[in-house]
Amino acid sequence: MSVNLTLLVVMGVLYAVGVYLLLERSLTRVLLGLMLLTNGTNLLILHAGGIPGLAPLYDSSIAAEDYSDPLPQALILTAIVISLAVTAFLLGMIYRSWVLGRRDEIQDDVEDRRVARQSSYDLEDDAEVPAETTEFEEAPRRSDPDDDPAEDLGEDLETPGLPGPRREGTR
């Protein structure tokens, strides 16, 4: 695999400028930064694919090492489709922000500032939890699984379809 220094420098610049633009408060700059990051990633995947070879069509006279790997090309095509969808989504957000507020910048919310000032200690999450947390009492357990519940109650249970025990005074 040969290293192309120019391609590596271009990827580094795309990543650096893309990250810088992502950290801005303007949605348009965030969109441009995301586009630069996706293009830098596509170049990285293309460079990781190795040196270009022959088309990946089978021919018995060509050795397997001479073929070009089609996987990086498929990954780049997938990344292009995903970045197009994310770009369309961000363009919709930018348009909606412009229509509603006539500005492109993301503003701090009052609730965001309140959350930033509050302590990181949460009473529910950080409090000591007792070992037994159930509110229910355990049901009494029988000691012998062969015990018949009818015997405990002192009653005779009839099974449907079978004659029950005879009582005195009945036939």
Side-chain angles (χ1 to χ4, degrees):
M1 180 172 164
S2 67
V3 176
N4 188 350
L5 189 60
T6 307
L7 193 60
L8 291 176
V9 169
V10 168
M11 282 187 297
V13 168
L14 285 175
Y15 275 116
V17 174
V19 168
Y20 175 76
L21 289 175
L22 272 178
L23 297 176
E24 294 289 324
R25 298 184 69 87
S26 171
L27 286 175
T28 305
R29 290 182 182 176
V30 169
L31 175 65
L32 291 174
L34 187 68
M35 290 170 57
L36 289 176
L37 279 177
T38 56
N39 287 327
T41 304
N42 290 343
L43 286 176
L44 176 68
I45 294 172
L46 184 65
H47 185 67
I51 58 173
L54 299 173
L57 301 172
Y58 180 72
D59 187 12
S60 60
S61 63
I62 301 174
E65 299 84 27
D66 295 336
Y67 285 118
S68 179
D69 188 12
L71 182 64
Q73 298 168 15
L75 290 175
I76 291 172
L77 184 61
T78 305
I80 289 171
V81 171
I82 292 171
S83 67
L84 178 69
V86 171
T87 301
F89 177 70
L90 277 173
L91 280 173
M93 283 179 49
I94 292 168
Y95 175 74
R96 186 70 176 164
S97 172
W98 182 257
V99 167
L100 291 177
R102 292 286 182 213
R103 67 177 95 184
D104 189 19
E105 274 191 33
I106 300 171
Q107 298 296 320
D108 277 343
D109 196 16
V110 175
E111 185 68 19
D112 289 340
R113 290 181 184 170
R114 186 190 67 78
V115 169
R117 282 193 309 263
Q118 81 181 23
S119 171
S120 63
Y121 179 79
D122 186 15
L123 184 61
E124 282 187 21
D125 292 340
D126 299 333
E128 191 69 31
V129 178
E132 182 62 35
T133 59
T134 182
E135 298 173 359
F136 304 103
E137 295 181 19
E138 290 188 24
R141 298 179 189 223
R142 292 189 296 179
S143 59
D144 188 10
D146 295 332
D147 287 345
D148 187 17
E151 292 176 5
D152 294 342
L153 299 174
E155 299 176 357
D156 293 329
L157 296 177
E158 293 185 16
T159 306
L162 295 176
R166 290 192 167 218
R167 297 185 186 199
E168 295 180 23
T170 60
R171 280 184 104 177

